[in-house]
């Protein structure tokens, strides 16, 4: 079992920055591929970024160059640094932990980009 708790969401103006954090507890964090997903109102949940246990990353085209995912296996945390935020980035952001046969989700944190 893995428990995931996100934090760091909020209201930010276009062009601003936010840093989301996800704290994991339970199983061995380093075994999991960690990811951030988001779901905007009326839309399907979509991948934002993932990071493997070895630190390899992959990003959605819409956030490349603006968002950075990172993890600290010693602290069981994964972060998403978001910059140059746009109104289109408004969504609930979810932390995800995945390995073969296991997948867990956090409760989500709201990000609103608006002037």
């Amino acid at each position: 079992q893995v428990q995931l708790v996100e934090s760091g969401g909020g209201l930010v103006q276009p062009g601003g920055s936010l840093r989301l954090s996800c704290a994991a507890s339970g199983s061995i964090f380093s075994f999991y591929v960690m990811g951030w997903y988001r779901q905007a109102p009326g839309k399907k949940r979509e991948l934002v970024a993932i990071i493997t246990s070895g630190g390899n990353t992959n990003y959605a085209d819409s956030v490349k160059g603006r968002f950075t995912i990172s993890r600290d296996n010693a602290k069981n945390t994964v972060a998403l640094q978001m910059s140059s935020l746009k109104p289109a980035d408004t969504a609930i952001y979810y932390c995800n932990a995945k390995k073969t046969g296991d997948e867990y989700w956090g409760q989500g944190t709201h990000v609103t980009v608006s002037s």
Side-chain angles (χ1 to χ4, degrees), residues 28-92:
I28 302 176
F29 176 78
S30 62
F31 287 176
Y32 289 81
V33 174
M34 300 300 299
W36 287 95
Y37 291 72
R38 67 186 181 187
Q39 187 167 15
K43 295 188 176 182
K44 294 182 179 180
R45 191 173 297 188
E46 64 177 3
L47 172 70
V48 176
I50 58 170
I51 184 167
T52 68
S53 58
N56 294 317
T57 59
N58 194 27
Y59 296 90
D61 287 343
S62 59
V63 307
K64 281 181 181 176
R66 300 188 299 121
F67 291 11
T68 301
I69 189 170
S70 60
R71 69 189 291 166
D72 186 333
N73 289 336
K75 296 181 178 179
N76 285 6
T77 58
V78 60
L80 184 70
Q81 179 66 46
M82 305 185 294
S83 60
S84 302
L85 283 161
K86 306 174 182 179
D89 296 317
T90 295
I92 302 174

